[in-house]
Amino acid sequence: MKKIVICGGHLTPALALIEQFENDKNCQILFFGRKYATEGSESLSAEYRVITQKGIRFFSVETGRLQRKFTKFTIPSLLKIPLGFLESFIFLLIERPTLIISFGGYLSVPVVFSGWLLGIATIAHEQSIIPGLATKINSIFAKKLFLSWPQTLSYFPKEKCQVIGNLIRKSIFKTSAKSIKISQFLNKSKKLILITGGNQGSHFLNKLVFTSLDIFDNYHIFHQVGTANFKGDWDFAARLKQKNYLAIDYIQPEDIGAVLNKASVVISRSGANTVWELAALAKPAILVPLPIAALGEQKANAKILEKAGSSIVIGQKDTDSKVIKTAVGQIITDYAKYKNDAQKFQKTLPLDAALKMALFIRKFCV
């Protein structure tokens, strides 16, 4: 049996690929990731929770990164960078996988570089229209680059690249939830709004929800707070008791489809995987791009759906309760238009990226 290492900070496409190998007896998946949600956090990351629940061997790589702003964790994070390379090298030396698959993020860099030193082939997938620094570095050592958007081709050597779209989980197309608590809430929900800042969560969006619940009296609110529990966001959300509000720290893969399909409107950041899934399900959305995202990546992602006519994009500095209320009202009032535009764009998306990537990977498993 051949060993395949999956690494990187983007869990959603990794799960889509893992689904392709669940019954494959020729390949064994190993996962290199972060155990904790953020630097200095005691909360387990979404990737650690989900991957270990699947019974996949998880290797915790403790490495640092170049942070976008100076905090008390900046210096300790920089000092951990050599540790990440050492851990990655030792893990790979012991396990001797046939292939490394990178989904970007700072954690992937020491894994890919160490693999190159050991003569282990790497393939990478970039989800964003503007590639992150990690994928740019990894592309030097990677054998093959799979891209989500044709616009990204200009950043890399074309002979290495193939545009296949983003990998999408089968679970997002499911309409029933495994969780009884979630299922009961969805069954009673009318005009459901999903609010999410991604797996780790967004303190800005969380705080906006906490101070604006009164403007959502006519809606049911499903709030994914995130695993980071930054400034006690999850602790605060768990104490809120309103019939039209349900908070979850992380929506499990077996429940995400039911929540997304039930939602009339989604309010979220505009990470690449969020944007792709909203497009794949033709969901009208209000997007608040993370302003400090590398090279304006989230703004570029959001512009894709804004141009398609399915979303309203609002800058973080312009976002408050009044603006959100107006945007929600605008979409609900003209819902047929937003939904129709979303469905038109949905038809342009390739939805078989996970299968295409799996077929390429299986060449290494024979």
Side-chain angles (χ1 to χ4, degrees), residues 207-273:
K207 190 167 65 171
L208 183 68
V209 173
F210 299 151
T211 58
S212 308
L213 281 175
D214 58 318
I215 73 171
F216 296 119
D217 285 343
N218 296 324
Y219 307 95
H220 280 80
I221 303 300
F222 196 109
H223 183 193
Q224 178 173 266
V225 182
T227 58
N229 196 24
F230 185 68
K231 293 189 176 181
D233 282 353
W234 168 241
D235 300 328
F236 185 89
R239 292 195 297 269
L240 291 175
K241 305 297 180 184
Q242 292 190 217
K243 291 182 179 180
N244 69 327
Y245 175 81
L246 178 63
I248 298 291
D249 61 342
Y250 172 71
I251 306 173
Q252 294 290 337
E254 59 264 28
D255 299 317
I256 186 63
V259 178
L260 281 170
N261 281 284
K262 182 73 174 183
S264 298
V265 180
V266 178
I267 301 174
S268 73
R269 290 299 197 190
S270 50
N273 299 308

Side-chain angles (χ1 to χ4, degrees), residues 121-226:
T122 289
I123 64 172
H125 182 274
E126 176 57 50
Q127 299 91 57
S128 291
I129 193 168
I130 298 177
L133 177 60
T135 301
K136 288 180 179 178
I137 295 172
N138 292 341
S139 69
I140 300 170
F141 310 103
K143 181 183 183 71
K144 181 82 171 178
L145 295 172
F146 291 102
L147 307 177
S148 298
W149 306 98
Q151 297 94 316
T152 316
L153 281 167
S154 61
Y155 293 90
F156 302 108
K158 289 183 172 57
E159 63 273 13
K160 277 190 176 184
C161 298
Q162 182 180 345
V163 179
I164 61 171
N166 202 351
L167 283 72
I168 196 161
R169 299 171 287 179
K170 297 175 185 176
S171 56
I172 71 163
F173 298 104
K174 294 181 178 179
T175 56
S176 60
K178 184 177 180 180
S179 164
I180 296 175
K181 181 179 181 180
I182 291 176
S183 183
Q184 290 176 340
F185 184 79
L186 295 180
N187 286 338
K188 69 178 182 181
S189 295
K190 295 180 180 179
K191 291 184 180 179
L192 180 71
I193 297 177
L194 168 62
I195 303 176
T196 172
N199 295 342
Q200 293 184 43
S202 162
H203 178 61
F204 176 83
L205 290 182
N206 290 341
K207 190 167 65 171
L208 183 68
V209 173
F210 299 151
T211 58
S212 308
L213 281 175
D214 58 318
I215 73 171
F216 296 119
D217 285 343
N218 296 324
Y219 307 95
H220 280 80
I221 303 300
F222 196 109
H223 183 193
Q224 178 173 266
V225 182

